[in-house]
Amino acid sequence: FALFGTPSGGLKTAAVGGWVKEQIANMSVYGAFINSLRSDWKRLIDDRRADPAPPVRFNLTLFAGWEDNFVPQEAALDPFPFNDKQILPGNHTSMIKPESEKELVYQWVKKILGRVSQRRQVARQSQDAIQFINRIHAAVDIGDADELAAMADRLGKLREADQPPL
């Protein structure tokens, strides 16, 4: 799941223009809608992260525009304490309209969709397989060559023993 420049923490500027339109009032950092949204998210998601069987599993990547004057980075990123947070070049609109495959937003979306595809491929596999794949992704993301080598060694030994990888 990815959010691009979403004012999940509310907007301070919406408090000023809230009288113009209800949608603007709903985005106010001080408004009932944002407070209810944050409270529900905390209760349903954040407070249940440690549950052995949470009601839903998903990865959340949050994006903010480096030059976004409409939705400040703190409004898009700060409400979520443990998720993947990225800052993209551009403003509220341009950060989501890549002109080529070389742009950062394109690369991130490709990465996210690749993970979805990989999860679908292992959907019928054991939790151990899914956790192993997640460990590989994490090791790649942080550049942990030692961990990657250890996992490759483990897979090699299992293959030599003609056992399923996980």
Side-chain angles (χ1 to χ4, degrees):
F1 192 67
L3 298 176
F4 292 85
T6 304
S8 300
L11 300 173
K12 291 178 184 174
T13 56
V16 175
W19 60 272
V20 175
K21 191 173 183 183
E22 183 179 357
Q23 182 181 9
I24 295 172
N26 284 340
M27 289 191 296
S28 172
V29 70
Y30 310 108
F33 176 78
I34 288 294
N35 287 323
S36 175
L37 178 71
R38 299 297 345 127
S39 175
D40 289 347
W41 183 274
K42 183 180 182 320
R43 180 177 50 83
L44 296 170
I45 305 298
D46 290 341
D47 291 349
R48 300 180 79 180
R49 287 181 188 270
D51 286 359
V56 64
R57 291 186 187 273
F58 63 94
N59 288 334
L60 177 62
T61 303
L62 306 157
F63 295 95
W66 188 259
E67 299 152 354
D68 192 340
N69 293 321
F70 183 68
V71 178
Q73 294 172 19
E74 62 272 7
L77 305 178
D78 291 355
F80 303 96
F82 303 110
N83 300 97
D84 195 3
K85 301 174 183 182
Q86 304 299 326
I87 299 175
L88 297 171
N91 61 33
H92 194 67
T93 304
S94 67
M95 74 170 161
I96 60 167
K97 294 185 177 184
E99 293 182 11
S100 78
E101 296 175 5
K102 294 178 181 174
E103 289 192 38
L104 192 56
V105 67
Y106 183 92
Q107 296 301 317
W108 269 108
V109 170
K110 183 177 175 182
K111 181 178 180 178
I112 291 168
L113 293 175
R115 286 183 178 170
V116 169
S117 174
Q118 290 168 344
R119 288 187 190 284
R120 285 184 179 156
Q121 290 174 3
V122 297
R124 292 190 174 95
Q125 299 294 322
S126 70
Q127 275 300 112
D128 290 340
I130 293 169
Q131 288 175 349
F132 193 78
I133 289 170
N134 286 341
R135 284 181 55 209
I136 291 170
H137 283 294
V140 168
D141 286 347
I142 64 172
D144 190 339
D146 293 338
E147 181 65 17
L148 288 169
M151 287 185 279
D153 185 53
R154 178 179 172 202
L155 287 173
K157 288 178 182 175
L158 290 170
R159 186 172 183 187
E160 288 172 9
D162 199 27
Q163 295 179 3
L166 301 166

mmCIF file of all heavy atoms in Angstrom, residues 51-90:
data_model
loop_
_atom_site.group_PDB
_atom_site.id
_atom_site.type_symbol
_atom_site.label_atom_id
_atom_site.label_comp_id
_atom_site.label_asym_id
_atom_site.label_seq_id
_atom_site.Cartn_x
_atom_site.Cartn_y
_atom_site.Cartn_z
ATOM 1 N N ASP A 51 0.625 -8.127 17.560
ATOM 2 C CA ASP A 51 -0.255 -9.297 17.612
ATOM 3 C C ASP A 51 0.307 -10.408 16.746
ATOM 4 O O ASP A 51 0.724 -10.167 15.605
ATOM 5 C CB ASP A 51 -1.655 -8.956 17.088
ATOM 6 C CG ASP A 51 -2.475 -8.112 18.041
ATOM 7 O OD1 ASP A 51 -1.967 -7.799 19.135
ATOM 8 O OD2 ASP A 51 -3.610 -7.763 17.681
ATOM 9 N N PRO A 52 0.307 -11.658 17.240
ATOM 10 C CA PRO A 52 0.802 -12.769 16.422
ATOM 11 C C PRO A 52 -0.044 -12.981 15.169
ATOM 12 O O PRO A 52 0.455 -13.440 14.154
ATOM 13 C CB PRO A 52 0.730 -13.977 17.343
ATOM 14 C CG PRO A 52 0.028 -13.544 18.576
ATOM 15 C CD PRO A 52 -0.097 -12.066 18.566
ATOM 16 N N ALA A 53 -1.313 -12.637 15.249
ATOM 17 C CA ALA A 53 -2.191 -12.776 14.083
ATOM 18 C C ALA A 53 -2.985 -11.480 13.913
ATOM 19 O O ALA A 53 -4.147 -11.397 14.273
ATOM 20 C CB ALA A 53 -3.132 -13.961 14.268
ATOM 21 N N PRO A 54 -2.339 -10.447 13.359
ATOM 22 C CA PRO A 54 -3.061 -9.185 13.178
ATOM 23 C C PRO A 54 -4.215 -9.368 12.198
ATOM 24 O O PRO A 54 -4.195 -10.295 11.373
ATOM 25 C CB PRO A 54 -1.996 -8.244 12.614
ATOM 26 C CG PRO A 54 -0.964 -9.122 12.033
ATOM 27 C CD PRO A 54 -1.000 -10.402 12.805
ATOM 28 N N PRO A 55 -5.225 -8.509 12.267
ATOM 29 C CA PRO A 55 -6.394 -8.671 11.402
ATOM 30 C C PRO A 55 -6.063 -8.538 9.916
ATOM 31 O O PRO A 55 -6.739 -9.111 9.078
ATOM 32 C CB PRO A 55 -7.336 -7.556 11.851
ATOM 33 C CG PRO A 55 -6.478 -6.579 12.568
ATOM 34 C CD PRO A 55 -5.321 -7.345 13.128
ATOM 35 N N VAL A 56 -4.998 -7.808 9.603
ATOM 36 C CA VAL A 56 -4.599 -7.641 8.205
ATOM 37 C C VAL A 56 -3.090 -7.417 8.165
ATOM 38 O O VAL A 56 -2.519 -6.806 9.058
ATOM 39 C CB VAL A 56 -5.375 -6.467 7.545
ATOM 40 C CG1 VAL A 56 -5.032 -5.157 8.196
ATOM 41 C CG2 VAL A 56 -5.121 -6.401 6.058
ATOM 42 N N ARG A 57 -2.459 -7.951 7.137
ATOM 43 C CA ARG A 57 -1.024 -7.744 6.947
ATOM 44 C C ARG A 57 -0.828 -6.964 5.650
ATOM 45 O O ARG A 57 -1.404 -7.295 4.625
ATOM 46 C CB ARG A 57 -0.289 -9.078 6.830
ATOM 47 C CG ARG A 57 -0.246 -9.858 8.105
ATOM 48 C CD ARG A 57 0.635 -11.113 7.908
ATOM 49 N NE ARG A 57 0.568 -11.952 9.058
ATOM 50 C CZ ARG A 57 1.344 -11.835 10.130
ATOM 51 N NH1 ARG A 57 2.250 -10.884 10.171
ATOM 52 N NH2 ARG A 57 1.223 -12.641 11.154
ATOM 53 N N PHE A 58 -0.010 -5.934 5.749
ATOM 54 C CA PHE A 58 0.301 -5.159 4.548
ATOM 55 C C PHE A 58 1.562 -4.353 4.807
ATOM 56 O O PHE A 58 1.934 -4.107 5.946
ATOM 57 C CB PHE A 58 -0.854 -4.224 4.166
ATOM 58 C CG PHE A 58 -1.169 -3.176 5.196
ATOM 59 C CD1 PHE A 58 -0.615 -1.917 5.118
ATOM 60 C CD2 PHE A 58 -2.019 -3.469 6.250
ATOM 61 C CE1 PHE A 58 -0.896 -0.957 6.069
ATOM 62 C CE2 PHE A 58 -2.311 -2.513 7.202
ATOM 63 C CZ PHE A 58 -1.740 -1.255 7.122
ATOM 64 N N ASN A 59 2.215 -3.987 3.741
ATOM 65 C CA ASN A 59 3.343 -3.064 3.814
ATOM 66 C C ASN A 59 2.835 -1.697 3.385
ATOM 67 O O ASN A 59 2.080 -1.589 2.425
ATOM 68 C CB ASN A 59 4.470 -3.504 2.880
ATOM 69 C CG ASN A 59 5.179 -4.732 3.388
ATOM 70 O OD1 ASN A 59 5.200 -4.993 4.580
ATOM 71 N ND2 ASN A 59 5.742 -5.503 2.477
ATOM 72 N N LEU A 60 3.268 -0.686 4.100
ATOM 73 C CA LEU A 60 2.863 0.674 3.795
ATOM 74 C C LEU A 60 4.107 1.489 3.488
ATOM 75 O O LEU A 60 5.041 1.509 4.280
ATOM 76 C CB LEU A 60 2.113 1.281 4.988
ATOM 77 C CG LEU A 60 1.686 2.742 4.858
ATOM 78 C CD1 LEU A 60 0.713 2.931 3.696
ATOM 79 C CD2 LEU A 60 1.042 3.207 6.155
ATOM 80 N N THR A 61 4.112 2.109 2.327
ATOM 81 C CA THR A 61 5.194 3.024 1.969
ATOM 82 C C THR A 61 4.582 4.412 1.821
ATOM 83 O O THR A 61 3.572 4.584 1.146
ATOM 84 C CB THR A 61 5.880 2.608 0.657
ATOM 85 O OG1 THR A 61 6.358 1.270 0.790
ATOM 86 C CG2 THR A 61 7.047 3.524 0.332
ATOM 87 N N LEU A 62 5.206 5.365 2.491
ATOM 88 C CA LEU A 62 4.708 6.737 2.493
ATOM 89 C C LEU A 62 5.659 7.614 1.693
ATOM 90 O O LEU A 62 6.868 7.548 1.877
ATOM 91 C CB LEU A 62 4.638 7.249 3.935
ATOM 92 C CG LEU A 62 3.839 6.347 4.864
ATOM 93 C CD1 LEU A 62 4.239 6.562 6.290
ATOM 94 C CD2 LEU A 62 2.372 6.568 4.662
ATOM 95 N N PHE A 63 5.100 8.430 0.829
ATOM 96 C CA PHE A 63 5.896 9.318 -0.002
ATOM 97 C C PHE A 63 5.505 10.764 0.273
ATOM 98 O O PHE A 63 4.325 11.079 0.425
ATOM 99 C CB PHE A 63 5.681 9.021 -1.486
ATOM 100 C CG PHE A 63 6.161 7.670 -1.906
ATOM 101 C CD1 PHE A 63 5.290 6.594 -1.961
ATOM 102 C CD2 PHE A 63 7.491 7.473 -2.252
ATOM 103 C CE1 PHE A 63 5.733 5.335 -2.354
ATOM 104 C CE2 PHE A 63 7.943 6.225 -2.635
ATOM 105 C CZ PHE A 63 7.060 5.154 -2.688
ATOM 106 N N ALA A 64 6.500 11.616 0.315
ATOM 107 C CA ALA A 64 6.285 13.056 0.425
ATOM 108 C C ALA A 64 7.131 13.723 -0.652
ATOM 109 O O ALA A 64 8.193 13.226 -1.009
ATOM 110 C CB ALA A 64 6.686 13.561 1.811
ATOM 111 N N GLY A 65 6.636 14.832 -1.148
ATOM 112 C CA GLY A 65 7.387 15.587 -2.148
ATOM 113 C C GLY A 65 8.374 16.537 -1.497
ATOM 114 O O GLY A 65 8.032 17.247 -0.556
ATOM 115 N N TRP A 66 9.590 16.538 -2.007
ATOM 116 C CA TRP A 66 10.641 17.401 -1.461
ATOM 117 C C TRP A 66 10.221 18.867 -1.492
ATOM 118 O O TRP A 66 10.519 19.630 -0.594
ATOM 119 C CB TRP A 66 11.922 17.184 -2.263
ATOM 120 C CG TRP A 66 13.099 17.871 -1.677
ATOM 121 C CD1 TRP A 66 13.648 19.049 -2.082
ATOM 122 C CD2 TRP A 66 13.869 17.454 -0.553
ATOM 123 N NE1 TRP A 66 14.716 19.383 -1.290
ATOM 124 C CE2 TRP A 66 14.873 18.407 -0.343
ATOM 125 C CE3 TRP A 66 13.811 16.346 0.291
ATOM 126 C CZ2 TRP A 66 15.808 18.299 0.677
ATOM 127 C CZ3 TRP A 66 14.747 16.242 1.303
ATOM 128 C CH2 TRP A 66 15.735 17.213 1.486
ATOM 129 N N GLU A 67 9.513 19.252 -2.550
ATOM 130 C CA GLU A 67 9.114 20.652 -2.733
ATOM 131 C C GLU A 67 7.603 20.827 -2.628
ATOM 132 O O GLU A 67 7.033 21.738 -3.207
ATOM 133 C CB GLU A 67 9.613 21.134 -4.091
ATOM 134 C CG GLU A 67 11.120 21.071 -4.206
ATOM 135 C CD GLU A 67 11.600 20.879 -5.648
ATOM 136 O OE1 GLU A 67 10.768 20.684 -6.546
ATOM 137 O OE2 GLU A 67 12.816 20.921 -5.848
ATOM 138 N N ASP A 68 6.943 19.939 -1.887
ATOM 139 C CA ASP A 68 5.486 19.982 -1.776
ATOM 140 C C ASP A 68 5.078 21.055 -0.776
ATOM 141 O O ASP A 68 5.260 20.900 0.427
ATOM 142 C CB ASP A 68 4.957 18.615 -1.339
ATOM 143 C CG ASP A 68 3.450 18.495 -1.475
ATOM 144 O OD1 ASP A 68 2.774 19.532 -1.534
ATOM 145 O OD2 ASP A 68 2.963 17.347 -1.520
ATOM 146 N N ASN A 69 4.516 22.142 -1.268
ATOM 147 C CA ASN A 69 4.045 23.224 -0.402
ATOM 148 C C ASN A 69 2.593 23.025 0.019
ATOM 149 O O ASN A 69 2.098 23.726 0.894
ATOM 150 C CB ASN A 69 4.197 24.577 -1.097
ATOM 151 C CG ASN A 69 5.653 24.923 -1.299
ATOM 152 O OD1 ASN A 69 6.479 24.662 -0.430
ATOM 153 N ND2 ASN A 69 5.984 25.482 -2.446
ATOM 154 N N PHE A 70 1.905 22.071 -0.606
ATOM 155 C CA PHE A 70 0.504 21.817 -0.268
ATOM 156 C C PHE A 70 0.397 20.851 0.908
ATOM 157 O O PHE A 70 -0.330 21.102 1.868
ATOM 158 C CB PHE A 70 -0.248 21.281 -1.487
ATOM 159 C CG PHE A 70 -1.705 21.058 -1.240
ATOM 160 C CD1 PHE A 70 -2.558 22.138 -1.025
ATOM 161 C CD2 PHE A 70 -2.220 19.783 -1.203
ATOM 162 C CE1 PHE A 70 -3.905 21.929 -0.774
ATOM 163 C CE2 PHE A 70 -3.571 19.568 -0.959
ATOM 164 C CZ PHE A 70 -4.417 20.645 -0.750
ATOM 165 N N VAL A 71 1.115 19.734 0.831
ATOM 166 C CA VAL A 71 1.136 18.757 1.926
ATOM 167 C C VAL A 71 2.572 18.663 2.432
ATOM 168 O O VAL A 71 3.415 18.022 1.821
ATOM 169 C CB VAL A 71 0.642 17.358 1.473
ATOM 170 C CG1 VAL A 71 0.717 16.372 2.630
ATOM 171 C CG2 VAL A 71 -0.782 17.444 0.934
ATOM 172 N N PRO A 72 2.865 19.316 3.555
ATOM 173 C CA PRO A 72 4.225 19.270 4.101
ATOM 174 C C PRO A 72 4.641 17.838 4.445
ATOM 175 O O PRO A 72 3.799 16.975 4.722
ATOM 176 C CB PRO A 72 4.132 20.117 5.374
ATOM 177 C CG PRO A 72 2.874 20.900 5.257
ATOM 178 C CD PRO A 72 1.961 20.117 4.366
ATOM 179 N N GLN A 73 5.936 17.608 4.430
ATOM 180 C CA GLN A 73 6.459 16.269 4.703
ATOM 181 C C GLN A 73 5.958 15.716 6.030
ATOM 182 O O GLN A 73 5.602 14.546 6.128
ATOM 183 C CB GLN A 73 7.982 16.282 4.677
ATOM 184 C CG GLN A 73 8.549 16.572 3.315
ATOM 185 C CD GLN A 73 10.040 16.771 3.326
ATOM 186 O OE1 GLN A 73 10.728 16.366 4.247
ATOM 187 N NE2 GLN A 73 10.556 17.407 2.288
ATOM 188 N N GLU A 74 5.904 16.552 7.057
ATOM 189 C CA GLU A 74 5.469 16.046 8.365
ATOM 190 C C GLU A 74 4.018 15.592 8.349
ATOM 191 O O GLU A 74 3.645 14.647 9.041
ATOM 192 C CB GLU A 74 5.710 17.069 9.486
ATOM 193 C CG GLU A 74 4.956 18.366 9.348
ATOM 194 C CD GLU A 74 5.677 19.427 8.528
ATOM 195 O OE1 GLU A 74 6.732 19.145 7.919
ATOM 196 O OE2 GLU A 74 5.177 20.561 8.472
ATOM 197 N N ALA A 75 3.164 16.219 7.533
ATOM 198 C CA ALA A 75 1.757 15.810 7.449
ATOM 199 C C ALA A 75 1.615 14.472 6.728
ATOM 200 O O ALA A 75 0.712 13.687 7.031
ATOM 201 C CB ALA A 75 0.935 16.877 6.728
ATOM 202 N N ALA A 76 2.511 14.202 5.798
ATOM 203 C CA ALA A 76 2.447 12.952 5.033
ATOM 204 C C ALA A 76 3.178 11.798 5.718
ATOM 205 O O ALA A 76 2.777 10.641 5.578
ATOM 206 C CB ALA A 76 3.035 13.167 3.639
ATOM 207 N N LEU A 77 4.240 12.087 6.467
ATOM 208 C CA LEU A 77 5.102 11.023 6.998
ATOM 209 C C LEU A 77 4.977 10.782 8.501
ATOM 210 O O LEU A 77 4.979 9.640 8.953
ATOM 211 C CB LEU A 77 6.567 11.335 6.669
ATOM 212 C CG LEU A 77 6.914 11.570 5.202
ATOM 213 C CD1 LEU A 77 8.385 11.912 5.063
ATOM 214 C CD2 LEU A 77 6.545 10.376 4.342
ATOM 215 N N ASP A 78 4.894 11.835 9.284
ATOM 216 C CA ASP A 78 4.986 11.708 10.739
ATOM 217 C C ASP A 78 3.897 10.872 11.415
ATOM 218 O O ASP A 78 4.171 10.240 12.435
ATOM 219 C CB ASP A 78 5.053 13.080 11.398
ATOM 220 C CG ASP A 78 6.370 13.794 11.120
ATOM 221 O OD1 ASP A 78 7.268 13.175 10.498
ATOM 222 O OD2 ASP A 78 6.499 14.960 11.512
ATOM 223 N N PRO A 79 2.668 10.827 10.902
ATOM 224 C CA PRO A 79 1.652 10.058 11.613
ATOM 225 C C PRO A 79 1.925 8.549 11.681
ATOM 226 O O PRO A 79 1.305 7.851 12.460
ATOM 227 C CB PRO A 79 0.370 10.319 10.817
ATOM 228 C CG PRO A 79 0.622 11.597 10.118
ATOM 229 C CD PRO A 79 2.084 11.595 9.804
ATOM 230 N N PHE A 80 2.838 8.068 10.871
ATOM 231 C CA PHE A 80 3.091 6.629 10.797
ATOM 232 C C PHE A 80 4.488 6.339 11.339
ATOM 233 O O PHE A 80 5.485 6.607 10.687
ATOM 234 C CB PHE A 80 2.994 6.158 9.345
ATOM 235 C CG PHE A 80 1.659 6.479 8.724
ATOM 236 C CD1 PHE A 80 1.491 7.618 7.967
ATOM 237 C CD2 PHE A 80 0.586 5.631 8.912
ATOM 238 C CE1 PHE A 80 0.268 7.921 7.395
ATOM 239 C CE2 PHE A 80 -0.651 5.928 8.348
ATOM 240 C CZ PHE A 80 -0.805 7.072 7.588
ATOM 241 N N PRO A 81 4.568 5.748 12.533
ATOM 242 C CA PRO A 81 5.871 5.609 13.187
ATOM 243 C C PRO A 81 6.796 4.534 12.618
ATOM 244 O O PRO A 81 7.994 4.679 12.698
ATOM 245 C CB PRO A 81 5.493 5.281 14.630
ATOM 246 C CG PRO A 81 4.150 4.664 14.543
ATOM 247 C CD PRO A 81 3.476 5.309 13.377
ATOM 248 N N PHE A 82 6.263 3.469 12.054
ATOM 249 C CA PHE A 82 7.121 2.331 11.733
ATOM 250 C C PHE A 82 7.188 1.985 10.263
ATOM 251 O O PHE A 82 7.728 0.960 9.905
ATOM 252 C CB PHE A 82 6.645 1.084 12.487
ATOM 253 C CG PHE A 82 6.596 1.282 13.966
ATOM 254 C CD1 PHE A 82 5.400 1.352 14.630
ATOM 255 C CD2 PHE A 82 7.773 1.428 14.687
ATOM 256 C CE1 PHE A 82 5.353 1.532 16.007
ATOM 257 C CE2 PHE A 82 7.740 1.616 16.057
ATOM 258 C CZ PHE A 82 6.533 1.668 16.714
ATOM 259 N N ASN A 83 6.626 2.777 9.404
ATOM 260 C CA ASN A 83 6.546 2.400 8.012
ATOM 261 C C ASN A 83 7.687 2.980 7.194
ATOM 262 O O ASN A 83 8.460 3.809 7.658
ATOM 263 C CB ASN A 83 5.194 2.816 7.442
ATOM 264 C CG ASN A 83 4.062 2.129 8.193
ATOM 265 O OD1 ASN A 83 3.483 2.697 9.094
ATOM 266 N ND2 ASN A 83 3.787 0.902 7.850
ATOM 267 N N ASP A 84 7.776 2.505 5.966
ATOM 268 C CA ASP A 84 8.800 2.970 5.041
ATOM 269 C C ASP A 84 8.434 4.366 4.567
ATOM 270 O O ASP A 84 7.350 4.573 4.020
ATOM 271 C CB ASP A 84 8.874 1.997 3.866
ATOM 272 C CG ASP A 84 10.117 2.184 3.042
ATOM 273 O OD1 ASP A 84 10.967 3.019 3.405
ATOM 274 O OD2 ASP A 84 10.250 1.477 2.035
ATOM 275 N N LYS A 85 9.310 5.318 4.799
ATOM 276 C CA LYS A 85 9.046 6.711 4.450
ATOM 277 C C LYS A 85 10.078 7.176 3.429
ATOM 278 O O LYS A 85 11.272 7.004 3.634
ATOM 279 C CB LYS A 85 9.108 7.590 5.695
ATOM 280 C CG LYS A 85 8.114 7.180 6.763
ATOM 281 C CD LYS A 85 8.304 7.983 8.024
ATOM 282 C CE LYS A 85 7.355 7.515 9.110
ATOM 283 N NZ LYS A 85 7.481 8.308 10.328
ATOM 284 N N GLN A 86 9.594 7.768 2.355
ATOM 285 C CA GLN A 86 10.479 8.226 1.288
ATOM 286 C C GLN A 86 10.127 9.653 0.905
ATOM 287 O O GLN A 86 8.956 10.031 0.903
ATOM 288 C CB GLN A 86 10.350 7.319 0.054
ATOM 289 C CG GLN A 86 10.600 5.859 0.324
ATOM 290 C CD GLN A 86 12.007 5.594 0.836
ATOM 291 O OE1 GLN A 86 12.953 6.261 0.453
ATOM 292 N NE2 GLN A 86 12.140 4.614 1.709
ATOM 293 N N ILE A 87 11.142 10.400 0.561
ATOM 294 C CA ILE A 87 10.935 11.755 0.057
ATOM 295 C C ILE A 87 11.354 11.760 -1.408
ATOM 296 O O ILE A 87 12.461 11.346 -1.744
ATOM 297 C CB ILE A 87 11.732 12.787 0.875
ATOM 298 C CG1 ILE A 87 11.257 12.746 2.329
ATOM 299 C CG2 ILE A 87 11.570 14.179 0.279
ATOM 300 C CD1 ILE A 87 12.038 13.637 3.265
ATOM 301 N N LEU A 88 10.439 12.198 -2.249
ATOM 302 C CA LEU A 88 10.671 12.212 -3.695
ATOM 303 C C LEU A 88 10.926 13.621 -4.184
ATOM 304 O O LEU A 88 10.409 14.582 -3.616
ATOM 305 C CB LEU A 88 9.441 11.660 -4.419
ATOM 306 C CG LEU A 88 9.071 10.215 -4.141
ATOM 307 C CD1 LEU A 88 7.706 9.894 -4.757
ATOM 308 C CD2 LEU A 88 10.128 9.278 -4.692
ATOM 309 N N PRO A 89 11.695 13.739 -5.257
ATOM 310 C CA PRO A 89 11.857 15.057 -5.869
ATOM 311 C C PRO A 89 10.504 15.554 -6.376
ATOM 312 O O PRO A 89 9.656 14.760 -6.771
ATOM 313 C CB PRO A 89 12.799 14.802 -7.045
ATOM 314 C CG PRO A 89 13.390 13.465 -6.811
ATOM 315 C CD PRO A 89 12.435 12.699 -5.950
ATOM 316 N N GLY A 90 10.312 16.849 -6.322
ATOM 317 C CA GLY A 90 9.108 17.422 -6.902
ATOM 318 C C GLY A 90 8.122 17.920 -5.877
ATOM 319 O O GLY A 90 8.351 17.869 -4.674
#
